């Protein structure tokens, strides 16, 4: 895998070096409440500040957008790191072991590099534009499932925006009536990687933040998957919030028929 701007091996090493910060239970339990069911831990801020400092020094020309910062100026003509220091913060607090660092590189209106790393399972999902997707260095591909009756569908419940629940859960009920079963990882980045690696066949969630879907959407695309907004034909905005519909191409029409 090659990339014109960045040293991929070095980025992976930097992300892996975060293990002691993320695996520190005491910091995971140091919580601040951001909103309803929405938390930030000492781990989130420590990972963010470490990466901001390292990446800022090594790549001063690339801007930095991250979940735990107050504001970002979304100049689409610039290159940006898009970081979720911990995607799956509630899982981290509950020692659920499904949390990941998600880092994407935005250049010229698209994501050109993405890494999603779960330190609890030691799984590293990576992709560079045009070069395929990898899990711990081995190529991954979406599933070949065609029959919705065999499909496992991951979904996000929009826990911070309960006003969506009534409409959303009607959609989920309709999907559930036709698929094999549901999964809810509570990490959008991992959901996208799980479609990419064929663990689940489809994934739907509303109003994700750029850091939730930037890296995972490239990993999914490069693994042969379809990913888009809930409006057919509309391209992902990357520097804005977006509803996300992801699937193996055999099931795209089917899953889209519900949203
Ligand atoms: C979370 C997601 C989760 C989603 C939440 C939230 P956080 O990210 O990945 O799947 O349902 O809305 O965005 O807050 O743990 O980084």
């Amino acid at each position: 895998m090659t990339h014109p701007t960045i040293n991929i091996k070095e980025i992976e090493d930097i992300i892996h070096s975060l293990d002691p910060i993320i695996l520190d239970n005491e910091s995971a339990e140091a919580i601040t409440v951001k909103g309803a069911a929405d938390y930030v831990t000492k781990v989130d801020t420590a990972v963010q500040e470490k990466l901001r400092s390292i990446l800022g020094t090594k790549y001063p020309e690339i801007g930095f957008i991250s979940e735990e910062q107050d504001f970002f100026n979304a100049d689409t003509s610039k290159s940006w790191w898009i970081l979720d220091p911990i995607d799956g913060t509630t899982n981290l607090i509950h020692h659920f072991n499904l949390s990941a660092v998600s880092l994407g590189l935005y250049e010229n209106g698209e994501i050109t590099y993405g890494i999603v790393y779960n330190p609890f399972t030691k799984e590293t999902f990576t992709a560079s534009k045009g070069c395929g997707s990898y899990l711990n260095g081995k190529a991954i591909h979406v599933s070949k499932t065609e029959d919705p009756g065999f499909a496992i569908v991951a979904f996000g419940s929009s826990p911070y925006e309960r006003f969506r629940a009534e409409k959303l859960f009607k959609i989920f009920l309709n999907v559930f009536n036709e698929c094999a079963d549901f999964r809810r990882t509570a990490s959008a980045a991992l959901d996208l990687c799980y479609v990419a690696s064929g663990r689940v066949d489809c994934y739907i969630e509303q109003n994700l933040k750029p850091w939730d879907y930037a890296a995972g959407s490239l990993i999914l695309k490069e693994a042969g998957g379809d990913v888009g907004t809930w409006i057919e034909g509309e391209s992902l905005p990357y520097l804005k919030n977006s509803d996300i519909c992801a699937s193996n191409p055999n099931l795209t029409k089917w899953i889209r028929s519900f949203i």
Side-chain angles (χ1 to χ4, degrees), residues 69 75 109 114 193:
Q69 69 185 26
D75 176 352
C193 292

Side-chain angles (χ1 to χ4, degrees), residues 34 37-39 44 67-68 84-91 99-100 155-161 184-191 203 205-209 211-212:
K34 286 198 288 185
D38 194 2
Y39 313 105
D44 299 65
E67 177 169 16
E68 312 307 341
D84 195 337
I86 295 294
D87 187 54
T89 300
T90 304
N91 284 345
S99 303
F155 72 101
S157 51
S158 294
Y160 318 145
E161 297 172 316
R184 163 78 172 142
T185 72
S187 162
L190 288 176
D191 283 325
Y203 162 58
E205 180 152 8
Q206 282 193 311
N207 201 31
L208 288 175
K209 310 287 187 313
W211 38 84
D212 296 321

Side-chain angles (χ1 to χ4, degrees), residues 151-155 171-173 175-176 179-184:
I152 301 291
V153 178
F155 72 101
I171 294 174
F172 296 155
L173 178 62
V175 176
F176 186 68
C179 72
D181 204 354
F182 274 154
R183 294 290 180 274
R184 163 78 172 142

Side-chain angles (χ1 to χ4, degrees), residues 135-172:
L135 166 54
N136 293 346
K138 257 184 95 179
I140 51 169
H141 303 282
V142 291
S143 70
K144 293 189 166 64
T145 311
E146 287 180 1
D147 181 348
F150 288 103
I152 301 291
V153 178
F155 72 101
S157 51
S158 294
Y160 318 145
E161 297 172 316
R162 302 290 164 120
F163 69 89
R164 295 180 188 276
E166 203 171 330
K167 226 170 148 187
L168 205 53
F169 279 68
K170 274 188 193 136
I171 294 174
F172 296 155

